[in-house]
């Protein structure tokens, strides 16, 4: 008789969906009552980090609000793969308006709910990195300034994936995209450009800012739930690998997210009212090369004419993050 | 209640009476007095249960209205000129989603050259945005149109733009009959949203639609605008009954029945036009006027009916399609297709230039005397010599410089630096 071997995960880890835990300790995704806000059948690529992130974020927010949630979405992969007419993967009230206005639309929803005395209904706005750090940046800053009661989530896949993988203000240096190819003397995206919106969000002194990755899904759920305990503007920046845009294996999404954190390239932290309160330490530090090599967007650094100088500059970025945020455990620094 | 009041204050009061629940606005002259006044009214509690959002841009203003309207709130914003263009993308979105947002446009020219004064270039640039566009002739009508606009927007679930001439109306003090709260409450029932972001009954608003149904969804926008052509006169009649005042409707015919020459115009210039019509009538000339209150949807049958007996139609408009011709003129020509009538496109009053009775009279005398070529685009009071001199300068030298500076210096305007 054929049988399938069932692999039991260790308890006490952060592994997602751990059904061996007490019901109260289980992740939102492991609960029978999860809302499946972004339900199956959508058209994201295999291994899409954004789909994974959105699913966890919204289900956690739904649980935190007892289902009293409205989602606003900017244009981008998430919007497109979830709503090709006449199908919709959304099982919560969901509004998509434009690419650059998600934060303002979400602010409008929150204002309407307040005016109608329905502050029990909460609002999540969500966008890709393009919709957040570039074209939506003005409306995002306005929403932060007014301290509107919105949790805004950026799913950062480091590029404009929906339009065919172009550079965004969150694309890392040296990465190739459709408009930063490995051509000319400085291949890939330029060093010294782009910006950290989590840090800019902190400069607005909003109640809560956090970063997370889809490698640590319990941490992501925790941060969403925590964000929902605050009123006012909150910002969550989630690192979501894109197998298609990065030229990575679909099976490597979670691994790459973990490596981004473990190299120090993507600092994972929380901040309240403009001050960092928690930092997720690197558990096992790895050189940036381990993260870069599996991705075709960095292949030009390791080809016929390898560029150890560029890899070193990327390592320096990671090292700077490590020093700046104190990412290494005590004693390792 | 009759009150001597600034147009902007009157409109702010009218909007207050309509009980908007979310106002999101960004300042731009000449809209500022309206939104400042609304901010005061929210702060003092005259307007209760209303959230006033100080947004970072007009794009943010319209976007916040989109979100608020989707969440079932009655919404309001106001803008002008550059601000209207800055929200362009969101305008098409609001209408495509079918959200009943009401907006005042304090009409102003569009730069470059930057100019804060009145014309209709802003509203006309958005004529195909899917918004209903109503033009007020006076501050009284501006007040009345806002009250009617909420009823119209919410009955059809379409956004409505109430256009009033910047400065000419917004900053003019005149006597206005402001309705009472009870009257407005009776006329504008509470909003019953046709689509709602409701956790108890989740819907997806703003889904992606491909070739299989896009045309049909867009067609529905057209259907609604056609329905507005029926609805607007009904609302105007109801308004007359409730408030004892004729306001709104599609068109405003003035001594047009037997007129051989009819002037078509929009907005506050109609008062001047009517005076010229009266003077010419006194001189035994057969002249009338047709005011367009509702420009979008375009009341093609009603315009055709009103102009059916005219020989000459002179469209005086405060905007034009650069490189093509008149905008309202094109629509009038469409409405009078195959009728034995000549349509004259006359661009007038750009960037705040006054449209005087004398100029209009000269124009109409020329038209009646067949001294004007109907196949050409005309510019009222254009300083042809100034243009010629600049064209001449532009022919010489590799870098003749910016037109605006050159022409201001030429006419000796202080701002040009000619005083140096
Ligand atoms: C005003 C405007 N400019 C450009 C576009 C085209 N566009 C749609 S989605 C997109 C990129 C989306 O990138 P991002 O926000 O990072 O989301 P992703 O698809 O990567 O998840 C672009 C450029 C648009 N829809 N609207
Ligand atoms: S392109 Fe990237 S972000 Fe878009 S659906 Fe595919 S994996 Fe997800
Ligand atoms: Mg992206």
């Amino acid at each position: 008789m054929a049988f399938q071997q069932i692999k039991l995960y260790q308890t006490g880890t952060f592994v997602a969906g751990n059904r061996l835990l007490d019901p109260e300790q289980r992740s939102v995704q492991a609960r029978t009552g999860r809302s499946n806000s972004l339900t199956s059948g959508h058209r994201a690529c295999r291994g899409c980090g954004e789909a994974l992130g959105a699913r966890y974020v919204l289900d956690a927010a739904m649980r935190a609000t007892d289902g009293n949630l409205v989602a606003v979405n900017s244009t981008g992969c998430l919007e497109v793969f979830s709503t090709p007419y006449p199908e919709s993967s959304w099982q919560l009230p969901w509004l998509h308006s434009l690419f650059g206005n998600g934060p303002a639309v979400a602010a409008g929803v929150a204002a309407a709910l307040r005016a109608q005395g329905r502050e029990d209904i909460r609002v999540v706005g969500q966008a890709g990195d393009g919709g957040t750090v570039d074209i939506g940046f003005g409306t995002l800053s306005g929403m932060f300034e007014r301290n509107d009661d919105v949790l805004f989530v950026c799913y950062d896949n480091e590029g404009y994936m929906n339009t065919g993988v172009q550079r965004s203000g969150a694309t890392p240096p040296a990465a190739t995209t459709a408009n930063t190819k490995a051509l000319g003397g400085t291949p890939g995206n330029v060093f010294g450009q782009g910006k950290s919106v989590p840090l800019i969000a902190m400069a607005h002194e909003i109640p809560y800012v956090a970063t997370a990755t889809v490698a640590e899904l319990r941490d992501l759920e925790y941060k969403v739930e925590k964000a929902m305990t605050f009123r006012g503007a909150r910002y969550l920046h989630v690192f979501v690998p894109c197998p298609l845009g990065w030229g990575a294996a679909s099976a490597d999404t979670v691994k790459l997210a973990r490596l981004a954190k473990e190299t120090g390239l993507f600092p994972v932290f929380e901040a309240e009212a403009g001050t960092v309160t928690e930092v997720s330490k690197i558990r096992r530090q790895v050189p940036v090369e381990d993260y870069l090599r599996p991705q075709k967007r960095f292949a030009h650094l390791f080809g016929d004419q390898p560029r150890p100088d560029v890899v070193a500059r990327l390592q320096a970025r990671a090292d700077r993050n490590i020093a700046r945020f104190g990412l290494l455990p005590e004693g390792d620094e | 209640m009759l009150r001597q009041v600034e147009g902007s204050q009157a409109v702010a009061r009218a909007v207050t009476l309509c009980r908007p629940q979310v106002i999101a606005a960004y300042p731009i002259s000449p809209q500022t007095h309206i939104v400042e006044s609304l901010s005061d009214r929210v702060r003092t509690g005259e307007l209760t249960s209303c959230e006033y959002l100080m947004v970072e841009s007009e794009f943010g203003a319209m976007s916040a209205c989109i979100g608020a309207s989707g969440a079932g709130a009655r919404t309001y914003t106001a803008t002008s000129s550059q601000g209207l263009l800055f929200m362009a993308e969101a305008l098409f979105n609001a209408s495509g989603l079918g959200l009943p947002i009401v907006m005042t446009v304090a009409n102003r020219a569009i730069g470059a050259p930057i100019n804060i004064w009145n014309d209709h270039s802003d509203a006309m640039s958005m004529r195909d945005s899917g918004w209903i566009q109503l033009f007020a002739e006076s501050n009284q009508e501006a007040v009345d149109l806002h009250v009617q606009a909420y009823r119209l927007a919410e009955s059809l679930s379409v956004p409505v733009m109430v256009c009033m001439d910047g400065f000419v109306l917004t900053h003019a003090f005149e006597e206005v009959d402001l309705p009472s709260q009870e009257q407005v409450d009776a006329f504008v029932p509470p909003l019953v949203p046709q689509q709602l972001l409701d956790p108890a009954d989740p819907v997806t608003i703003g889904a992606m639609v491909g070739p299989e149904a896009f045309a049909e969804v867009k067609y529905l926008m057209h259907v609604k605008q056609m329905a507005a052509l029926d609805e607007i006169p009904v609302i105007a009649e109801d308004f007359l009954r409730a408030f004892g005042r004729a306001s709104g409707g599609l068109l405003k015919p003035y001594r047009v029945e037997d007129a051989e020459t009819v002037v078509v115009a929009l907005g506050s210039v109609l008062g001047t036009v009517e005076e010229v019509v009266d003077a010419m009538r006194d001189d035994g000339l057969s002249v009338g006027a047709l005011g367009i209150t509702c420009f979008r949807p375009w009341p093609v049958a009603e315009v055709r009916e009103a102009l059916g007996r005219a020989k000459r139609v002179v469209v005086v408009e405060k905007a034009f399609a650069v490189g093509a011709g008149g905008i309202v003129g094109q629509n009038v020509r469409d409405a009078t297709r195959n009728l034995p009538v000549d349509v004259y496109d006359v661009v007038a009053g750009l960037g705040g230039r006054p449209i005087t009775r004398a100029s209009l009279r000269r124009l109409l005398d020329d038209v009646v005397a067949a001294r004007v070529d109907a196949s050409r685009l005309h510019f009222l009071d254009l300083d042809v010599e100034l243009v010629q001199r600049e064209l001449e300068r532009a022919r010489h030298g590799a870098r003749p410089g910016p037109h605006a500076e050159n022409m201001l210096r030429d006419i000796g305007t202080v701002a040009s630096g000619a005083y140096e």
Side-chain angles (χ1 to χ4, degrees):
Chain A
M1 194 182 77
F3 70 96
Q4 193 187 356
Q5 199 185 349
I6 296 171
K7 195 170 166 190
L8 293 175
Y9 292 91
Q10 246 184 309
T11 55
T13 70
F14 292 100
V15 173
N18 195 331
R19 287 182 170 78
L20 297 181
L21 289 169
D22 289 342
E24 258 322 292
Q25 288 179 298
R26 282 182 194 167
S27 73
V28 176
Q29 284 300 314
R31 286 168 206 263
T32 51
R34 73 176 183 214
S35 48
N36 292 326
S37 314
L38 171 65
T39 198
S40 57
H42 59 69
R43 295 163 192 203
C45 307
R46 244 188 332 169
C48 174
E50 191 165 82
L52 178 63
R55 177 178 180 79
Y56 272 74
V57 164
L58 289 173
D59 281 354
M62 282 288 270
R63 182 172 138 81
T65 59
D66 217 4
N68 285 316
L69 192 69
V70 173
V72 169
N73 216 125
S74 302
T75 309
C77 264
L78 178 58
E79 165 262 330
V80 170
F81 72 60
S82 63
T83 69
Y85 180 88
E87 297 160 3
S88 170
S89 289
W90 300 106
Q91 305 212 80
L92 80 175
W94 182 91
L95 170 63
H96 160 249
S97 174
L98 297 168
F99 184 25
N101 70 356
V105 174
V109 172
L113 294 171
R114 198 159 56 234
Q116 297 172 88
R118 290 302 310 268
E119 281 151 299
D120 54 317
I121 303 175
R122 309 294 299 277
V123 185
V124 170
Q126 45 184 6
D129 47 298
T132 307
V133 319
D134 293 338
I135 200 167
F137 188 60
T139 55
L140 184 72
S141 177
M143 190 273 274
F144 286 164
E145 267 186 40
R146 289 186 305 269
N147 201 23
D148 295 315
D149 191 25
V150 172
L151 168 61
F152 202 86
V153 185
C154 170
Y155 300 108
D156 180 6
N157 52 24
E158 304 192 323
Y160 298 164
M161 300 319 176
N162 185 50
T163 36
V165 196
Q166 296 86 12
R167 177 209 177 269
S168 82
T171 302
T176 57
T177 66
N179 56 3
T180 58
K181 298 209 175 93
L183 301 171
T186 47
N189 191 33
V190 181
F191 274 84
Q193 297 187 352
K195 55 183 171 293
S196 162
V197 171
L199 292 179
I200 298 173
M202 283 171 59
H204 289 75
E205 309 211 348
I206 55 175
Y208 185 68
V209 173
T211 65
T213 78
V214 287
E216 274 144 3
L217 291 161
R218 293 299 299 266
D219 180 61
L220 177 59
E221 286 185 344
Y222 158 80
K223 283 169 177 166
V224 171
E225 284 175 15
K226 179 155 174 192
M228 297 317 281
T229 65
F230 293 87
R231 288 279 172 178
R234 290 140 291 144
Y235 181 69
L236 180 58
H237 192 104
V238 191
F239 188 84
V240 292
C242 164
L244 184 99
W246 295 7
S250 301
D252 282 351
T253 294
V254 168
K255 181 175 139 190
L256 286 175
R258 178 167 294 119
L259 287 171
K261 186 210 152 197
E262 297 292 280
T263 51
L265 282 172
F266 186 83
V268 177
F269 63 93
E270 289 177 281
E272 290 178 31
T275 306
V276 174
T277 51
E278 283 300 335
V279 169
S280 204
K281 301 281 184 188
I282 290 172
R283 276 190 262 167
R284 188 175 59 86
Q285 194 187 2
V286 286
V288 294
E289 196 174 329
D290 290 12
Y291 167 74
L292 303 173
R293 273 195 183 272
Q295 305 180 48
K296 284 207 189 73
R297 61 178 176 155
F298 296 112
H300 61 95
L301 303 179
F302 307 103
D304 299 341
Q305 290 152 325
R307 295 295 302 266
D309 56 324
V310 178
V311 175
R313 288 184 79 183
L314 289 166
Q315 184 63 53
R317 274 170 66 91
D319 294 345
R320 174 153 193 268
N321 280 339
I322 289 169
R324 186 176 190 181
F325 290 94
L327 296 179
L328 287 178
E330 305 294 305
D332 282 14
E333 278 154 277
Chain B
M1 189 180 66
L2 277 177
R3 277 182 53 197
Q4 188 75 19
V5 60
E6 190 205 35
S8 298
Q9 302 296 325
V11 164
R13 174 68 186 157
V15 169
T16 301
L17 293 171
C18 294
R19 303 186 188 276
Q21 293 160 299
V22 174
I23 297 174
Y26 191 82
I28 179 168
S29 298
Q31 151 266 36
T32 42
H33 290 186
I34 300 173
V35 296
E36 287 164 8
S37 175
L38 281 164
S39 166
D40 292 351
R41 288 167 205 265
V42 171
R43 277 164 190 260
T44 59
E46 179 189 330
L47 177 50
T48 52
S49 305
C50 179
E51 294 291 324
Y52 188 110
L53 293 184
M54 307 270 180
V55 282
E56 80 301 322
S57 70
E58 288 86 356
F59 180 61
M62 184 47 61
S63 301
C65 286
I66 287 169
S69 191
R74 183 171 287 166
T75 57
Y76 175 79
T77 187
T79 190
S80 292
S81 180
Q82 317 296 135
L84 189 69
L85 295 197
F86 208 71
M87 53 169 78
E89 192 192 9
L91 290 181
F92 281 75
N93 190 252
S95 62
L97 293 175
L99 296 171
I101 300 163
V102 171
M103 166 166 67
T104 311
V105 175
N107 298 111
R108 163 182 155 180
I110 287 174
I114 191 163
N115 173 305
I116 62 166
W117 307 106
N118 168 243
D119 72 30
H120 290 167
S121 307
D122 51 6
M124 286 300 158
S125 76
M126 291 299 130
R127 66 188 178 277
D128 301 328
S129 64
W131 282 61
I132 288 175
Q133 292 186 317
L134 308 175
F135 282 79
E137 180 185 349
S138 63
N139 282 339
Q140 183 65 62
E141 195 173 37
V143 164
D144 299 346
L145 284 181
H146 281 87
V147 176
Q148 297 187 23
Y150 274 105
R151 180 114 150 229
L152 178 65
E154 292 172 10
S155 68
L156 294 172
S157 209
V158 290
V160 178
M161 192 185 291
V162 180
C163 301
M164 63 190 292
D165 284 320
F167 293 112
V168 181
L169 293 181
T170 54
H171 289 53
F173 281 75
E174 49 184 37
E175 199 162 67
V176 175
D177 191 353
L178 284 164
S180 69
Q181 186 67 67
E182 296 68 39
Q183 278 177 303
V184 174
D185 284 346
F187 193 77
V188 185
L191 167 62
V192 182
Q194 294 188 10
Q195 52 189 335
L196 183 63
L197 295 165
D198 178 5
D201 182 14
V203 287
T204 294
I205 304 178
M208 184 163 194
V209 180
E212 61 280 9
F214 185 80
E216 286 71 18
V217 176
K218 283 286 172 188
Y219 180 74
L220 275 181
M221 291 171 67
H222 190 63
V223 167
K224 279 196 197 177
Q225 291 246 342
M226 293 301 103
L229 287 176
D230 296 330
E231 189 74 6
I232 289 167
V234 172
I235 290 178
E237 277 163 35
D238 275 4
F239 189 88
L240 174 63
R241 265 194 300 279
F243 297 83
R245 205 167 42 241
S247 251
L250 299 171
L251 302 174
K252 242 181 254 111
Y254 184 76
R255 305 182 80 166
V256 86
E257 301 76 27
D258 61 337
E260 289 182 353
T261 304
V262 178
V263 180
V264 173
L266 298 77
S268 63
V269 76
L270 278 167
T272 317
V273 171
E274 286 164 12
E275 284 182 38
V276 174
V277 165
D278 288 344
M280 291 180 79
R281 285 271 178 181
D282 290 348
D283 295 346
L285 293 160
S286 171
V287 183
L290 182 67
I292 310 284
T293 308
C294 172
F295 181 64
R296 283 292 181 272
W298 175 240
V300 66
E302 290 77 4
V303 171
R304 186 179 180 84
E305 165 69 22
L307 299 177
R309 287 162 299 282
K311 289 199 179 114
R312 292 170 288 267
V313 175
V314 184
V315 183
V316 176
E317 53 179 310
K318 294 182 176 181
F320 72 111
V322 180
I327 298 166
V328 184
Q330 260 173 23
N331 286 264
V332 168
R333 218 170 264 114
D334 189 33
T336 55
R337 209 183 289 175
N338 301 328
L339 291 179
V341 58
D342 282 328
V343 179
Y344 298 81
D345 283 346
V346 181
V347 181
L350 293 187
R353 178 164 300 178
I355 302 176
T356 63
R357 274 175 301 187
S359 296
L360 281 175
R361 176 70 196 246
R362 255 196 315 278
L363 167 72
L364 294 178
D365 284 342
D366 285 348
V367 167
V368 171
R371 287 192 292 265
V372 181
D373 180 356
S375 66
R376 287 187 50 216
L377 178 66
H378 298 275
F379 289 82
L380 192 70
D381 295 339
L382 186 74
D383 186 342
V384 179
E385 279 162 23
L386 178 63
V387 173
Q388 292 298 352
R389 288 197 297 274
E390 175 61 7
L391 286 174
E392 188 55 32
R393 273 190 295 271
R395 268 192 281 276
H396 301 299
R399 194 191 285 166
H403 290 314
E405 270 76 8
N406 290 347
M407 291 163 102
L408 284 174
R409 193 171 293 119
D410 185 330
I411 59 175
T413 299
V414 171
S416 71
Y419 56 89
E420 282 170 0

